[in-house]
Amino acid sequence: MSKSIGTSGSLINDPRARAWAFQILAIVVVAALGWYLFNNTQTNLEHRGITSGFAFLEHSAGFGVSQSLIDYNESDSYGRLFLVGLANTLLVSILGIILATVLGFVIGIARLSPNWLVRKLSAIYIETFRNIPPLLQIFFWYFAVLRLVPGPRQSLSFFDALFLNNRGLYVPAPVSADGIVPFLVAVVLAVVASIILARWVKVRRDKTGRGFPLLLTSIVLLIALPGLAALIFGAPFHWTVPELKGFNFQGGWVVIPELFALLVALSVYTAAFIAETVRSGIQSVSHGQTEAANSLGLKPSRTLRMVIIPQSMRVIIPPLTSQYLNLTKNSSLAAGIGYPDMVSLFAGTVLNQTGQAIETIAITMSVYLVISLSISLLMNVYNKRMALRER
Amino acid sequence: MSENAKSLGIGDKIMIQMQDVNKWYGQFHVLKDINLTVRQGERIVLCGPSGSGKSTTIRCINRLEEHQKGNIVVDDVELNGDLKNIEAIRREVGMVFQHFNLFPHLTVLENCTLAPIWVRKLPKKEAEEVAMHYLKRVRIPDQAHKYPGQLSGGQQQRVAIARALCMKPKIMLFDEPTSALDPEMVKEVLDTMIGLAQDGMTMLCVTHEMGFARTVANRVIFMDKGEIVEQAPPDQFFDNPQNERTKLFLGQILH
Ligand SMILES: Nc1ncnc2c1ncn2[C@@H]1O[C@H](COP(=O)(O)OP(=O)(O)O)[C@@H](O)[C@H]1O
Ligand SMILES: [Mg+2]
């Protein structure tokens, strides 16, 4: 009996034979799929008369963009359009990372506040914004909040200089005038003076132990020196204030509603995660550290800065890095409200117009990969420097 | 040596005055009418079973714990809710913990200079000189530039003592400073503390090192269930305890 089972099912029941069989099967399936994709693409491209390759980047795009940080007009190439999209993605990512970090640290520290109300409010903030999908939050700011703002003719105006309407936030823009050179020189001087002052304060504290109101002095310097230059040499620039001309405002700078909604939503959403990261980082530092600092007479703010934060940074940085990556990748949700980021502009409109799907997607994916790897690299360098100080 | 340490004068000045101090954790009455007076230069050992409230008592003195009833006056400063008073008291009271609580991200020297620089506002150079002075006293000046994680337990505890001394405190509190140490390291820490006692430091030590208590203490206090049950000079305390609970406790720890 047992013998007959052994011989009849010998190959099927042999684990090594099975493993081989599955691996061969897997290879065949992948190869077939790859061949199908390649073949399909070839036929599709031939069918639509599209040549593959990157020559299309030279062609004129022929459409305008709602926000561009570099000079761009309709006759410019797809290649230039790519740069416009890249700059817009970087803009929202960088501003978002800065805002989310500041907000996240404040809320994370507030989460541990001795004040009951502050603690509860930050808990509510975290639980609310962390648990709503980011696209929905973008829609909320874009459709629910900014759509309630009136049109250009009924703009909300602040001091007749700032105007908010459904086309965006219009702010005065500086245009350089006669006094600009002395003014800039004065700014540079003030900055240099502040840096020298900071070093002097440190040296003096090391020598004599006496403190110095550094921040206040620097602020005064930064205001007084350029102010003096402006008084003597004339105004450095004048402001072009946005003015209603016809149906819309002219002059000044505009923050388009898409940017505003995307930026606020991404920062608020990511800040909730960063706050949790910061809270758990601070809690990872044992209570004995706070007690030791207290028993030495260090003030709570000093303890936070010199004892708790430096130790918690080691725990905070790895998850913080992944939050930065998330924010950058989530910025592609811009497509949902038509903010001209790289995905909606390049992997969206350009792809549709040219049909060069493989090329545009490949370029866009590579760019995200490069951005993400750069962020990881930077954060790793920082983490190494923090970690080195322990041993 | 024991005579030498004890013959040092005890001042008239009262450094710590605890009057009818009571504390609760929720419903749990941890400290019951604690009355304690410590004079300048006095060395007091606090002992008792685990959970009897020894740590809580000394932690009330520098406000790591808040008492709810009674008065505590430290070096003529009343310990109430006033933050200025708490700061003033913490500047004058050093504390050494069972688990050292050194700052792991700072070197030994930086551990010792942090508070003098930011609290005492000493120039960095002077703070470093003070730190090196005390690191020499605890006999580890050569470790000044290492990080706490690179030192043995006994060395870490001696750094912790030096760190507290760098603030030039008038009173030192010790909460079981040798309980977390391997046996072979207990002596180096106790020797450091004996040295301190010989210099006339006012000390309040929670410890079960009875040899140390006999050598150094002017007074041994026995606590049980949140109360001070008995206090006496060490010879009398160990050889002729009065209270039944003290006898039971001593029987347990002295075998
Ligand atoms: N934060 C706290 N919350 C509640 N109970 C505490 C707390 N800290 C200490 N206790 C309790 O108070 C009692 C006294 O603690 P402690 O002063 O640490 O005792 P000892 O140092 O004598 O061992 C113990 O029963 C302990 O469980
Ligand atoms: Mg204890």
Side-chain angles (χ1 to χ4, degrees), chain B residues 27-228:
Chain B
Q27 295 291 315
F28 179 54
H29 201 171
V30 235
L31 298 185
K32 302 170 186 160
D33 286 330
I34 300 291
N35 284 290
L36 175 66
T37 306
V38 182
R39 290 177 191 282
Q40 189 167 35
E42 234 185 331
R43 289 154 324 258
I44 292 173
V45 161
L46 214 60
C47 63
S50 175
S52 56
K54 308 177 297 290
S55 301
T56 310
T57 304
I58 66 168
R59 288 157 61 86
C60 279
I61 294 169
N62 64 352
R63 239 330 142 97
L64 291 186
E65 305 287 350
E66 195 177 335
H67 63 283
Q68 282 121 17
K69 230 179 102 199
N71 300 316
I72 302 179
V73 178
V74 182
D75 192 23
D76 299 331
V77 181
E78 159 111 47
L79 196 54
N80 45 25
D82 193 336
L83 288 176
K84 279 269 167 293
N85 288 6
I86 296 175
E87 277 172 27
I89 286 172
R90 283 178 176 169
R91 274 198 297 272
E92 307 305 332
V93 179
M95 188 163 201
V96 175
F97 301 86
Q98 182 176 357
H99 296 287
F100 330 138
N101 297 353
L102 291 173
F103 305 131
H105 60 301
L106 301 177
T107 63
V108 164
L109 189 65
E110 287 165 344
N111 264 277
C112 293
T113 55
L114 186 70
I117 288 174
W118 292 107
V119 182
R120 285 254 186 259
K121 313 278 183 211
L122 280 196
K124 187 172 170 197
K125 198 147 162 289
E126 205 180 314
E128 284 177 352
E129 282 164 13
V130 172
M132 288 313 292
H133 170 78
Y134 285 110
L135 286 173
K136 275 188 198 121
R137 279 226 12 213
V138 301
R139 283 173 287 113
I140 33 178
D142 44 327
Q143 314 283 0
H145 296 287
K146 288 198 180 161
Y147 287 91
Q150 298 168 302
L151 305 184
S152 75
Q155 289 173 322
Q156 291 193 43
Q157 193 60 299
R158 283 185 282 148
V159 171
I161 295 173
R163 176 178 70 178
L165 291 177
C166 283
M167 284 295 286
K168 308 231 166 120
K170 294 180 181 159
I171 301 164
M172 285 285 286
L173 307 174
F174 293 83
D175 192 357
E176 306 207 29
T178 56
S179 319
L181 295 178
D182 292 335
E184 74 270 21
M185 294 171 184
V186 170
K187 186 173 179 300
E188 61 187 61
V189 171
L190 289 181
D191 284 346
T192 309
M193 291 166 64
I194 291 170
L196 255 183
Q198 285 168 338
D199 287 353
M201 175 66 78
T202 309
M203 291 163 67
L204 198 52
C205 312
V206 176
T207 181
H208 291 151
E209 295 292 335
M210 292 308 152
F212 172 80
R214 273 191 193 271
T215 317
V216 169
N218 309 106
R219 198 168 10 137
V220 182
I221 295 177
F222 174 67
M223 280 187 77
D224 191 20
K225 303 202 173 85
E227 292 171 309
I228 292 183

Side-chain angles (χ1 to χ4, degrees), chain A residues 65-70 88 91 95 142 146 149-150 152 155-156 161-174 239-243 247-261 263 339-340:
Chain A
V65 180
S66 60
Q67 172 188 298
S68 170
L69 298 179
I70 57 177
N88 286 343
L91 176 74
L95 289 180
Y142 190 61
L146 293 182
V149 171
S155 290
L156 303 172
L162 293 173
F163 299 94
L164 183 67
N165 60 49
N166 58 15
R167 306 256 178 110
L169 175 70
Y170 291 80
V171 298
W239 299 93
T240 57
V241 178
E243 267 179 281
F247 294 106
N248 207 347
F249 281 86
Q250 304 265 304
W253 280 333
V254 55
V255 180
I256 59 173
E258 290 79 15
L259 173 61
F260 186 85
L263 192 59
Y339 172 77

Side-chain angles (χ1 to χ4, degrees), chain A residues 48-354:
Chain A
R48 291 158 68 179
I50 296 166
T51 45
S52 52
F54 295 93
F56 74 99
L57 288 174
E58 313 274 314
H59 302 168
S60 167
F63 65 92
V65 180
S66 60
Q67 172 188 298
S68 170
L69 298 179
I70 57 177
D71 282 339
Y72 172 83
N73 63 52
E74 293 186 10
S75 58
D76 278 332
S77 66
Y78 286 122
R80 185 138 189 109
L81 201 61
F82 164 75
L83 293 179
V84 172
L86 176 61
N88 286 343
T89 288
L90 289 177
L91 176 74
V92 74
S93 301
I94 293 171
L95 289 180
I97 283 175
I98 295 172
L99 284 177
T101 306
V102 173
L103 197 61
F105 268 78
V106 169
I107 293 170
I109 291 172
R111 188 74 188 77
L112 298 171
S113 160
N115 183 315
W116 183 87
L117 188 64
V118 169
R119 216 163 51 229
K120 283 293 169 246
L121 283 177
S122 53
I124 291 170
Y125 175 98
I126 291 169
E127 290 313 326
T128 309
F129 290 109
R130 190 165 74 144
N131 292 315
I132 298 174
L135 185 58
L136 202 58
Q137 296 195 35
I138 294 172
F139 284 166
F140 168 77
W141 290 103
Y142 190 61
F143 293 114
V145 177
L146 293 182
R147 277 294 160 84
L148 299 180
V149 171
R153 283 168 179 281
Q154 284 84 37
S155 290
L156 303 172
S157 113
F158 307 96
F159 314 111
D160 279 336
L162 293 173
F163 299 94
L164 183 67
N165 60 49
N166 58 15
R167 306 256 178 110
L169 175 70
Y170 291 80
V171 298
V175 178
S176 59
D178 292 347
I180 186 73
V181 174
F183 180 82
L184 288 181
V185 170
V187 170
V188 172
L189 274 181
V191 170
V192 171
S194 299
I195 293 172
I196 294 174
L197 186 72
R199 303 185 75 155
W200 175 78
V201 169
K202 180 162 180 357
V203 169
R204 193 176 79 138
R205 181 169 41 238
D206 288 352
K207 268 211 200 105
T208 68
R210 268 184 294 164
F212 190 85
L214 179 62
L215 190 65
L216 192 72
T217 320
S218 301
I219 291 172
V220 169
L221 265 179
L222 278 169
I223 294 171
L225 276 187
L228 206 65
L231 267 181
I232 298 170
F233 298 100
F237 36 68
H238 49 82
W239 299 93
T240 57
V241 178
E243 267 179 281
L244 190 62
K245 293 227 174 92
F247 294 106
N248 207 347
F249 281 86
Q250 304 265 304
W253 280 333
V254 55
V255 180
I256 59 173
E258 290 79 15
L259 173 61
F260 186 85
L262 190 63
L263 192 59
V264 171
L266 287 181
S267 311
V268 163
Y269 173 71
T270 314
F273 289 90
I274 293 180
E276 273 299 90
T277 300
V278 168
R279 178 195 58 76
S280 65
I282 289 178
Q283 281 182 332
S284 76
V285 179
S286 93
H287 191 55
Q289 294 287 306
T290 315
E291 292 190 338
N294 283 347
S295 76
L296 287 164
L298 288 162
K299 293 210 172 91
S301 59
R302 181 72 47 203
T303 303
L304 196 65
R305 258 174 57 193
M306 313 287 283
V307 177
I308 308 298
I309 299 268
Q311 291 185 60
S312 53
M313 277 323 262
R314 260 176 289 260
V315 181
I316 291 175
I317 285 175
L320 189 63
T321 308
S322 60
Q323 287 314 324
Y324 288 174
L325 298 181
N326 279 345
L327 189 145
T328 308
K329 287 179 288 183
N330 282 340
S331 75
S332 62
L333 293 173
I337 53 170
Y339 172 77
D341 83 318
M342 199 165 40
V343 169
S344 70
L345 207 57
F346 198 66
T349 316
V350 171
L351 187 156
N352 281 332
Q353 274 200 7
T354 62

Side-chain angles (χ1 to χ4, degrees), chain B residues 2-22:
Chain B
S2 118
E3 285 317 304
N4 180 16
K6 282 190 201 161
S7 60
L8 278 164
I10 295 174
D12 288 333
K13 183 165 165 40
I14 293 176
M15 296 304 287
I16 304 172
Q17 175 83 277
M18 296 177 93
Q19 233 169 22
D20 297 326
V21 171
N22 281 273

